[in-house]
Amino acid sequence: MLTLSHISKTFNPGTVNEKRALTDLSLHLEPGSFVTIIGSNGAGKSTLFNAIAGSFFVDSGSILVDGQDVTFMPEYKRAKQMGRLFQDPMRGSAPGMTIEENLALAAGSGGWFSHMTGGDRARFRDQLALLGMGLEDRMKQPVGLLSGGQRQALTLLMATMHPPKLLLLDEHTAALDPGTAEKVLNITKDVVAQHHITTLMVTHNMKNALELGDRTLMMDGGRIVLDVQGEERKGMTVSDLLERFRAGAGKELDNDRILLSE
Amino acid sequence: MDLALVQTALELGLICSLTVLALFLSYTMLNVCDLSTDGCFTLGAAVGAVVAISGHPFLAIAAAMGAGVCSGFITALLQTKMGVDSLLAGIIVNTGLYSINIAVMSGSSLLNMNQTDTVFTMVRDALEGTPLAGQYRLVVAAVAVALVVAFLSLFLNTRLGLAIRATGNNPDMVRSSSINPAFTTVVGLCVANAFTGLSGCLLAQSQRSADVNIGTGMVTIALASLLIGGTVLGRGGIFTRACGVVLGSFIFRLVYTIALRFDMPAFMLKLVSSIIVVLAISGPYLKSRWPMIRRRLTYRSTAGKGGGEQC
């Protein structure tokens, strides 16, 4: 579904602030796979997502989504095939517009001059009800009034309204309180399983990284230093993972937010 | 207060409210402060006057709006595709338009329409003998405003309209909805400037002359009206808010007309509008800072009493 071949990205080339954020990184994802990514601070996790989503173009290498070369496709065009959630729950929705207006824009059905219909509203209402947050009764309220968890759940709904080929989750529960984080994570699992969406999820929760999905990547210094899946991954514990990271990266995992256990 | 004054305020308020509605789209919705408004207003007046003088008063309106679209397109192109800051783009276009406006008026800085058929004279003739005969200016202005308000409340709820609103609110989200924010900015500014052009065209036709300074300061006057409107009717749907904007424009003109009655010289209009804009924008800011300012003042005075200089 996603094939990255030898992509590299250097920020501020030729200056003292030069930073090699991605170094000759290759990755292939099978359709329907759910991959979790962990790594140190500055390992290049978010840069990898920015490269895939098209926030910038890579310096070298190519990016294929479902066989289509998107290496130089602008971000807004790639968005047709990708959904993306950020750590900041405020980034995914427009606060000054109502819940239904946000959903209508994400749904993107009809032409430029189409209006929201009663049918659209009924559909939005059903989908909001599935979140179990009572948002279906607040559809005329501005999104700015929602809590972080509610906004993140709404963003997830917006991102998956037309099931994308690829879902990029960049620590999307990290800014939420533990209870809400779990709720949003459960909704994520349901949505991904329901539509068989190929998913990449960055997390700082080591336990989640091993429990969720079917493959775990560890990144360091702009490279993938560890890639575990299948039988090998099944019996793995957090300490095994850390041990393997040390072996792969040649140093301790260093992340000030990392959660080693619950 | 005599009724004629209220009527003048209402006429001017309505005609200028078209520019305020333009800023409602560009400033409030798209979050772009379009400083080309002054020049675009004059452009609409000049183009409208030239076409009207050539004998086509209704075509003048379409031409003025078309000229507005072109001006908005260039402003938008500069800021979305050519790396010019959005404020600077407006200023640059505004400066360039000064020359263009004089060129449109064949090198003169004033066009007289005393002998010209305008939309207003035609409506006046049509209304002759009806009870509305004396209010022909009001009728034209009200119809134009009603059409623009109706258009905006429909347009801003279409998918394109939602995308334009989201562009001003959260461009990231527009991109993730597979819409190019550059495209929505271009469309939004083109539509907004069409209204600015229309506004200029109608003002010139109603006062039967267009001069190159007709639009000077219009952006500040319109912003003042917009902010007054936002205080009066700032919440609710697009239709309510658009009506609030028109009301704001009328209130602004009324206050100004009353001030004129109290012997305020006419040249004070622009200073008054500047002060209103400053009050409307910095008022809420200073209000939110006030508790902290007061605390600091009382802290200083009590600390002073306790002896010893505080830095």
Side-chain angles (χ1 to χ4, degrees):
Chain A
M1 183 54 71
L2 173 73
T3 308
L4 307 175
S5 321
H6 306 285
I7 59 167
S8 297
K9 179 71 190 176
T10 304
F11 291 113
N12 309 312
T15 71
V16 284
N17 293 322
E18 181 173 296
K19 166 126 181 73
R20 299 207 67 176
L22 294 175
T23 313
D24 194 32
L25 187 147
S26 295
L27 176 66
H28 177 75
L29 298 189
E30 293 300 329
S33 56
F34 189 144
V35 179
T36 56
I37 304 177
I38 41 183
S40 339
N41 294 328
K45 302 177 304 259
S46 295
T47 311
L48 175 66
F49 275 21
N50 284 335
I52 297 173
S55 306
F56 52 71
F57 296 140
V58 289
D59 297 334
S60 59
S62 67
I63 302 171
L64 268 68
V65 175
D66 200 16
Q68 187 192 5
D69 192 330
V70 300
T71 312
F72 289 104
M73 189 188 268
E75 187 176 11
Y76 74 93
K77 282 190 182 158
R78 289 190 209 185
K80 272 206 175 89
Q81 315 177 22
M82 298 178 196
R84 188 178 188 190
L85 267 74
F86 298 94
Q87 183 180 344
D88 179 2
M90 308 301 154
R91 276 184 78 171
S93 45
M97 294 163 66
T98 64
I99 294 180
E100 59 178 22
E101 284 169 345
N102 272 276
L103 287 170
L105 199 52
S109 45
W112 282 117
F113 296 101
S114 60
H115 276 76
M116 210 188 309
T117 63
D120 289 334
R121 285 200 179 84
R123 191 159 50 96
F124 297 159
R125 174 174 266 278
D126 292 345
Q127 286 170 325
L128 283 168
L130 293 179
L131 299 179
M133 289 177 159
L135 296 181
E136 64 276 16
D137 298 320
R138 301 172 64 184
M139 282 170 57
K140 301 260 183 219
Q141 286 185 15
V143 166
L145 298 177
L146 305 186
S147 70
Q150 289 169 332
R151 276 184 82 163
Q152 202 65 309
L154 179 68
T155 309
L156 186 63
L157 184 60
M158 287 163 63
T160 54
M161 193 161 258
H162 292 292
K165 289 178 179 166
L166 188 65
L167 185 61
L168 303 173
L169 305 169
D170 194 350
E171 299 201 39
H172 69 303
T173 61
L176 310 177
D177 68 79
T180 317
E182 199 185 329
K183 196 163 188 180
V184 171
L185 207 57
N186 284 331
I187 298 171
T188 310
K189 277 192 271 187
D190 291 347
V191 171
V192 168
Q194 191 191 343
H195 301 292
H196 305 287
I197 306 169
T198 312
T199 305
L200 272 171
M201 181 173 100
V202 171
T203 178
H204 59 271
N205 186 324
M206 301 286 273
K207 198 163 153 288
N208 280 346
L210 279 178
E211 275 177 9
L212 283 171
D214 43 36
R215 184 174 172 188
T216 299
L217 304 175
M218 284 188 118
M219 287 188 68
D220 186 64
R223 293 171 217 267
I224 294 171
V225 292
L226 180 66
D227 181 353
V228 285
Q229 53 188 319
E231 287 303 316
E232 180 188 24
R233 185 171 179 269
K234 268 181 194 152
M236 228 172 189
T237 63
V238 170
S239 48
D240 292 341
L241 200 58
L242 288 174
E243 184 54 44
R244 288 287 305 273
F245 179 85
R246 192 168 15 218
K251 63 175 187 184
E252 297 279 343
L253 180 66
D254 168 30
N255 183 327
D256 49 19
R257 276 206 315 272
I258 207 99
L259 286 175
L260 296 174
S261 57
E262 269 181 297
Chain B
M1 190 166 52
D2 78 71
L3 219 67
L5 274 180
V6 179
Q7 191 183 341
T8 315
L10 197 53
E11 284 164 14
L12 265 177
L14 282 177
I15 292 176
C16 292
S17 78
L18 295 167
T19 305
V20 189
L21 285 166
L23 288 198
F24 176 63
L25 182 57
S26 60
Y27 184 76
T28 312
M29 294 293 153
L30 207 51
N31 202 17
V32 171
C33 192
D34 183 5
L35 292 180
S36 71
T37 299
D38 289 8
C40 183
F41 189 88
T42 313
L43 181 69
V47 170
V50 168
V51 179
I53 287 171
S54 73
H56 305 284
F58 284 101
L59 192 61
I61 291 178
M65 291 179 79
V69 170
C70 296
S71 155
F73 182 75
I74 293 170
T75 314
L77 206 64
L78 287 178
Q79 57 187 278
T80 54
K81 294 285 174 199
M82 301 178 74
V84 182
D85 174 77
S86 82
L87 286 175
L88 192 56
I91 294 170
I92 291 171
V93 170
N94 194 42
T95 308
L97 279 176
Y98 186 85
S99 307
I100 291 180
N101 290 334
I102 293 183
V104 166
M105 299 195 284
S106 317
S108 101
S109 61
L110 180 76
L111 280 185
N112 206 311
M113 288 191 279
N114 278 332
Q115 307 301 323
T116 311
D117 277 341
T118 67
V119 181
F120 291 91
T121 61
M122 292 177 82
V123 171
R124 184 190 62 196
D125 297 345
L127 287 176
E128 197 137 7
T130 64
L132 284 170
Q135 269 83 41
Y136 65 94
R137 279 207 189 92
L138 211 55
V139 171
V140 175
V143 168
V145 170
L147 285 177
V148 170
V149 168
F151 171 81
L152 274 183
S153 34
L154 283 175
F155 176 68
L156 287 174
N157 283 313
T158 61
R159 181 164 138 72
L160 181 56
L162 289 179
I164 287 175
R165 288 162 62 193
T167 307
N169 219 223
N170 185 352
D172 278 341
M173 175 226 173
V174 175
R175 247 174 249 118
S176 58
S177 309
S178 344
I179 299 168
N180 187 356
F183 168 70
T184 51
T185 305
V186 170
V187 174
L189 283 182
C190 284
V191 174
N193 280 286
F195 298 152
T196 308
L198 171 66
S199 185
C201 172
L202 288 183
L203 184 65
Q205 293 205 5
S206 90
Q207 66 184 32
R208 317 202 107 214
S209 71
D211 76 275
V212 76
N213 291 319
I214 195 171
T216 309
M218 195 48 84
V219 68
T220 317
I221 293 173
L223 265 182
S225 309
L226 183 70
L227 297 168
I228 294 173
T231 335
V232 182
L233 275 179
R235 282 159 197 262
I238 297 295
F239 179 72
T240 321
R241 293 171 71 184
C243 289
V245 159
V246 177
L247 199 62
S249 176
F250 172 59
I251 294 173
F252 177 80
R253 286 291 164 175
L254 196 64
V255 170
Y256 170 67
T257 316
I258 294 170
L260 281 182
R261 286 289 280 178
F262 286 101
D263 290 335
M264 185 187 77
F267 59 76
M268 295 300 279
L269 168 69
K270 275 153 197 172
L271 179 62
V272 170
S273 56
S274 298
I275 292 172
I276 291 179
V277 171
V278 170
L279 286 180
I281 293 178
S282 62
Y285 170 76
L286 290 177
K287 202 174 146 195
S288 70
R289 300 269 300 169
W290 176 239
M292 186 50 74
I293 295 172
R294 202 173 52 188
R295 227 187 95 198
R296 214 165 61 189
L297 290 177
T298 47
Y299 177 79
R300 256 189 213 157
S301 61
T302 50
K305 271 175 209 152
E309 195 67 26
Q310 296 282 328
C311 328

